[in-house]
Amino acid sequence: MGKEFNSSILPDDIEEDEDDSNEWITTFADLCMLLLVFFILLYSMSEIDAKKFDLTFQSVTKAIKGKLDRVATSKVAREEAGAILNQVVTRRQIIKAQRKVYEDVKYLQTTKGVEGIMSAKFEDGKIVLKLPSDVLFSPGKVTLSKKGRVAIAAMKDFFIQHPDQYINIKGYTDDTQPGSASRLKDNWEISSLRAVNVLRYLMKLGIKPNRLTATGLGEMDPLVPNNSSQNRQRNRRVEFVLDKIMTGP
């Protein structure tokens, strides 16, 4: 006798197989949505026209908010998407605020004490002010010169007027190592002590210490190759990297 074929189990098996085969759609939709938000984050961090960004950001945000519940079906995906969107908004606000601070740098560059010697750039929401080490220190020395104290003092009011800025003071040297007669061991020590002494002088001028950090980088990250006396002079510098202090909601 042949085996009896029970056709009643066929529809349920087929339906279960179909359900299993469609599970990838949810994951794929979540992935696409997260990738979209990720590229919005990258887009917001680029240097673009502010008006153009505002229009693009508003339109994309509106589209995502309208479809977020339908596309991001998992709770984790929705939370991740929301966190990324919050990062985009926060980053945009930081860059916008830092641009306003950077506008004040133009006035600082005309201030007596740093006129013609201080350079500045704005990049990725950070403001970098550069002063040549030769202006601040005598050759091979780590103590601020009289001219150096004048230059730092000229920056004091700018720093006080912008209390929402962290100030990371970075010291750099060229690739020439100190001689055997020097009490300084190497360029790491020179650059570190110079940065620390600038920090201490800013504190003396009234800048709060919790806004200040000092970093010595020696001959690392040169602006130009150390292949001439002129290039070495450019690489000997002190940078003030301004980063906006984040406050709570």
Side-chain angles (χ1 to χ4, degrees):
M1 179 181 295
K3 293 183 179 180
E4 182 179 352
F5 179 73
N6 186 356
S7 61
S8 62
I9 65 172
L10 186 59
D12 292 338
D13 286 348
I14 294 177
E15 183 177 355
E16 183 177 351
D17 290 342
E18 288 179 350
D19 290 341
D20 292 341
S21 65
N22 288 336
E23 287 183 356
W24 67 272
I25 297 178
T26 300
T27 303
F28 181 73
D30 292 343
L31 177 62
C32 289
M33 189 274 297
L34 289 174
L35 284 174
L36 175 61
V37 177
F38 173 70
F39 282 113
I40 295 172
L41 175 62
L42 294 181
Y43 186 58
S44 71
M45 294 171 64
S46 62
E47 296 291 334
I48 57 174
D49 180 78
K51 184 176 181 181
K52 181 180 178 182
F53 172 80
D54 285 339
L55 293 174
T56 304
F57 181 83
Q58 290 172 8
S59 62
V60 174
T61 302
K62 182 178 179 181
I64 290 178
K65 285 183 177 179
K67 298 181 179 180
L68 188 60
D69 291 335
R70 286 184 293 171
V71 176
T73 54
S74 71
K75 181 179 179 181
V76 173
R78 288 197 300 270
E79 291 177 350
E80 290 177 349
I84 293 175
L85 283 173
N86 287 336
Q87 291 176 12
V88 172
V89 173
T90 301
R91 191 65 185 170
R92 176 171 169 266
Q93 291 173 343
I94 290 175
I95 292 176
K96 185 177 180 180
Q98 290 296 81
R99 285 189 188 279
K100 292 181 179 179
V101 176
Y102 187 63
E103 291 175 1
D104 292 341
V105 172
K106 297 177 182 178
Y107 174 77
L108 176 61
Q109 288 178 299
T110 63
T111 301
K112 185 177 180 180
V114 295
E115 184 176 6
I117 60 174
M118 189 190 79
S119 61
K121 71 174 182 178
F122 180 82
E123 184 177 353
D124 194 26
K126 294 184 178 181
I127 300 168
V128 181
L129 311 177
K130 294 190 185 103
L131 283 175
S133 288
D134 295 354
V135 172
L136 303 176
F137 305 95
S138 299
K141 303 297 182 181
V142 297
T143 303
L144 277 167
S145 64
K146 182 177 179 180
K147 186 178 180 180
R149 291 194 297 272
V150 171
I152 299 300
M155 305 171 72
K156 175 195 69 172
D157 290 341
F158 173 80
F159 291 145
I160 291 177
Q161 290 167 5
H162 297 283
D164 62 337
Q165 301 292 312
Y166 281 121
I167 308 169
N168 184 10
I169 304 160
K170 295 183 177 182
Y172 295 90
T173 67
D174 58 28
D175 63 343
T176 304
Q177 296 295 329
S180 57
S182 174
R183 65 180 181 83
L184 300 169
K185 295 180 180 180
D186 50 33
N187 286 332
W188 291 103
E189 186 172 7
I190 292 175
S191 61
S192 299
L193 289 175
R194 285 179 171 179
V196 168
N197 285 334
V198 171
L199 180 149
R200 286 173 175 164
Y201 192 63
L202 284 174
M203 288 175 56
K204 185 177 179 180
L205 294 174
I207 308 302
K208 293 182 178 180
N210 62 348
R211 294 178 54 197
L212 300 169
T213 57
T215 308
L217 294 168
E219 62 200 68
M220 304 299 291
D221 196 20
L223 297 175
V224 290
N226 285 296
N227 53 15
S228 69
S229 58
Q230 185 177 11
N231 282 359
R232 288 187 176 93
Q233 185 178 22
R234 288 186 60 189
N235 289 330
R236 296 192 299 269
R237 67 198 190 275
V238 173
E239 293 184 354
F240 302 80
V241 182
L242 309 184
D243 205 355
K244 184 173 175 59
I245 298 173
M246 297 301 299
T247 57

